[in-house]
Every structure is written in C-alpha cells, then in structure tokens.
Amino acid sequence: RDGGALSSRVRIVAGDCREDIPVQADVYIIKNILEWDDDSTRRALANVLKAARPGARVIVIENLVDDTPSMKFTTSMDLLLLLNVGGAKHTRLSMVERLTDAGLVLGEVRPVNAYLHAFECTVPA
Ligand SMILES: C[S@@+](CC[C@H](N)C(=O)[O-])C[C@H]1O[C@@H](n2cnc3c(N)ncnc32)[C@H](O)[C@@H]1O
C-alpha cells in the first residue's frame, strides 16, 4: 500500500511467472499458485530455479487434498480448478513430486493452520 510501513521495500512487477521471474531474492513464497495445469507448474518452478541463487529458500503454501478440515473446501476448489483452468489441488505426495522433479531440495512440510501446508524447499548449489 502506498505510504504503508513496508512500501519502500516492496516492488510490484508485472509479468507471467511461466515466462520469467525477473527477481533474485532470498526467499520465494508461492501461495495457492501451483494448482493449475502441470506444464504451468513446471515452467513456474523452472523459472524460480533460474532466477534464484543456490541456497535461496522456496516456500510453497497450498491447501491439500488430505484428511485435514480443509478437505471440503479443497475438494470444491479442485473441481473448480479442473473445470476452469484444467488444474487440480494436490495431495502431499503429488506436491512433493512436482517440487522434487523441478530440482528443489525438500525440507520440512509443516501445517500453517488447519487449512494450509507449507513445503519448505531450498535451491541446490
Ligand atoms: C489463487 S490466487 C493466489 C493469490 C495469493 N498468492 C494468495 O494466496 O492469496 C492466484 C494469483 O496468481 C495470479 N496469476 C495467475 N496467472 C499468473 C501468471 N501466469 N503469472 C503470474 N501471476 C499469475 C493471479 O492474478 C492471482 O493473483
């Protein structure tokens, strides 16, 4: 927000993360994004790896199709995503597969709250 406490530290960059992520950062937070088609997920993660320095952290936060209280919400979102963008919500395993296939080193997977999980990854050397 203009004039907000963090405004001098924020830069909004327009673009398509499947084409390019022109930002070098210590931490990349990707929240409720990797729920579209698999090719888009592959391209977005490949662009994170291209932009990031070795050792940078990549934290992917998602609602999972699992046994948590988010199941009803996630199942409706799963259907909505399938019908609208050919996407899907993930299980813990299908998310882990996509992150490791992209070349990220997976650390812990932690609940953020009753609805969201964080997959803590690192960009390898
Ligand atoms: C489900 S929302 C999640 C927003 C936010 N990260 C959150 O968790 O509240 C997905 C966001 O991705 C943006 N988006 C969609 N396609 C994109 C693309 N190709 N490149 C960059 N951003 C995109 C949308 O504009 C939208 O803000």
Side-chain angles (χ1 to χ4, degrees), residues 15-18 31-33 35-36:
D16 182 344
C17 66
R18 296 168 299 187
K31 176 172 167 274
N32 283 344
I33 301 289
E35 51 195 25
W36 45 19

Side-chain angles (χ1 to χ4, degrees), residues 4-25:
L6 299 177
S7 60
S8 65
R9 297 171 55 195
V10 173
R11 190 164 49 100
I12 295 174
V13 181
D16 182 344
C17 66
R18 296 168 299 187
E19 299 301 325
D20 191 25
I21 298 182
V23 178
Q24 205 173 58

